[in-house]
Amino acid sequence: MTTMLAMATDGNGAFIAINIERPTPGPTEVLIKTAAVGVNPVDWKTGSGHAMHRFFPKGGPVVLGWDVAGIVVEAGAGVTRFSAGDRVFGMPRFPKPAHAYAEFVVAGAREVARIPDNVSDTEAGAVPLAALTAWQSIVDTFKTRHGDRVLIHAASGGVGHLAVQIARARGAHVFATASPQNAAALRELGADHVIDYRTERFEDVATDMDAVLDLVGTADNVERSITALKRGGTLVVVPSPTHLPPRTQLDEAGITAHWILVEPDYAALEAIAAMMETGSLEVVVAATRTLTKMAELHAIGQAGGPMGKLVATVPQT
């Protein structure tokens, strides 16, 4: 049996390094030698028994993670998109386990895309889940067009700072809520108005919105977001469906609301890769650690973290 290193949670929130069997790609799958792994809030929520925990086997250590960037080392039967040596990135299997906190990851060939030559493994590993969430909200759900007024909450976070850029690239007038220390960076990324959520009522500044992307998800934030939308507008709530307004309230306000659960999507990944290649989408990497220091990245994220994404790198041997 060929084994590999993986970082697992022990059921009490602590990380342990374990050796497990290296996966084998089946038909239509590729085996990726991991170079970088993105860390997302869903990871530590799942590790604490919430979010996607129900999809993981009960008992024993749990290997978390969905974001992966690396090199294809083996292609399964029927794969025509990739061959050994191709650099790829993606978010395989979500919301079911992908076990990306490991030296090797198996993914469906249509769950990953090629990494542009001018994009680093660390940048590529930071992107998939956050950028796909942003893309599937801004492009697929809002269908954002030139001139639309879009409000993005928690805009300095992993999803938020990418959503700002995607909305801006589609010609939207972008409003963003964030803390003051991140305002200048968000303006550089394309936000037209940065609202200090601590001192300003965002609904007094961001009015007649065509769309609101709520990455906060509290009941109060949702209620206030409704008042910021114009009739015919759309609200997307990402963290949880539990705070979606009742149908009667939506009908009264004349808006629609959705909870979005991100999906693997190679076509969107290819569009995201093209933006990164041309420099129109920049991922801010807030902190990196090696895979064996995963606990430190989780601690940074759970403490609120700096602007952008957290990434674990995997030394190449």
Side-chain angles (χ1 to χ4, degrees), residues 91-152:
M91 182 198 68
R93 309 197 187 286
F94 191 86
K96 296 182 179 179
H99 309 302
Y101 288 6
E103 290 182 304
F104 292 85
V105 176
V106 161
R110 292 184 178 270
E111 295 176 323
V112 296
R114 282 181 174 81
I115 302 172
D117 291 341
N118 63 339
V119 174
S120 71
D121 292 330
T122 299
E123 291 168 323
V127 163
L129 190 148
L132 284 174
T133 302
W135 187 275
Q136 290 167 14
S137 300
I138 300 294
V139 179
D140 297 339
T141 304
F142 293 151
K143 296 178 171 56
T144 301
R145 299 173 296 179
H146 184 83
D148 281 354
R149 293 164 64 84
V150 178
L151 170 61
I152 299 167

Side-chain angles (χ1 to χ4, degrees), residues 30 32 68-72 82 86-90 112-115 121 124:
V30 293
I32 303 166
V68 61
I71 298 173
V72 173
F82 304 107
D86 289 337
R87 295 175 66 231
V88 298
F89 72 131
V112 296
R114 282 181 174 81
I115 302 172
D121 292 330

Side-chain angles (χ1 to χ4, degrees), residues 27-305:
T28 74
E29 294 179 334
V30 293
L31 177 65
I32 303 166
K33 182 173 174 51
T34 310
V37 179
V39 178
N40 298 285
V42 70
D43 296 350
W44 56 78
K45 291 175 182 178
T46 299
S48 65
H50 304 287
M52 307 309 159
H53 186 265
R54 64 189 182 277
F55 295 112
F56 285 75
K58 302 297 186 291
V62 172
V63 179
L64 299 167
W66 284 275
D67 279 344
V68 61
I71 298 173
V72 173
V73 294
E74 185 181 348
V79 174
T80 59
R81 286 169 46 78
F82 304 107
S83 56
D86 289 337
R87 295 175 66 231
V88 298
F89 72 131
M91 182 198 68
R93 309 197 187 286
F94 191 86
K96 296 182 179 179
H99 309 302
Y101 288 6
E103 290 182 304
F104 292 85
V105 176
V106 161
R110 292 184 178 270
E111 295 176 323
V112 296
R114 282 181 174 81
I115 302 172
D117 291 341
N118 63 339
V119 174
S120 71
D121 292 330
T122 299
E123 291 168 323
V127 163
L129 190 148
L132 284 174
T133 302
W135 187 275
Q136 290 167 14
S137 300
I138 300 294
V139 179
D140 297 339
T141 304
F142 293 151
K143 296 178 171 56
T144 301
R145 299 173 296 179
H146 184 83
D148 281 354
R149 293 164 64 84
V150 178
L151 170 61
I152 299 167
H153 290 302
S156 62
V159 176
H161 84 286
L162 298 172
V164 165
Q165 296 173 77
I166 292 169
R168 182 66 173 179
R170 296 182 73 81
H173 196 73
V174 180
F175 293 73
T177 63
S179 55
Q181 63 263 34
N182 295 321
L186 284 169
R187 291 189 186 96
E188 288 182 5
L189 294 177
D192 296 288
H193 302 275
V194 181
I195 303 166
D196 180 356
Y197 70 92
R198 297 173 182 172
T199 61
E200 297 178 90
R201 299 281 294 180
F202 65 79
E203 63 271 36
D204 294 338
V205 180
T207 58
D208 293 321
M209 293 292 108
D210 294 282
V212 175
L213 176 57
D214 188 354
L215 302 168
V216 176
T218 64
D220 176 68
N221 214 65
V222 169
E223 288 288 331
R224 293 164 57 201
S225 293
I226 290 173
T227 67
L229 283 159
K230 70 179 185 183
R231 295 191 70 83
T234 304
L235 169 68
V236 162
V237 178
V238 172
S240 169
T242 57
H243 293 306
L244 280 176
R247 173 71 63 175
T248 52
Q249 185 178 6
L250 296 174
D251 289 344
E252 183 178 345
I255 65 171
T256 56
H258 307 276
W259 171 61
I260 185 171
L261 184 63
V262 65
E263 304 173 60
D265 182 350
Y266 83 89
L269 278 176
E270 289 177 342
I272 289 161
M275 290 184 68
M276 295 179 74
E277 185 173 26
T278 61
S280 58
L281 184 67
E282 175 188 349
V283 58
V284 175
V285 177
T288 62
R289 299 287 191 277
T290 59
L291 182 65
T292 55
K293 303 290 185 181
M294 186 61 75
E296 294 182 16
L297 291 176
H298 274 235
I300 292 169
Q302 289 176 284

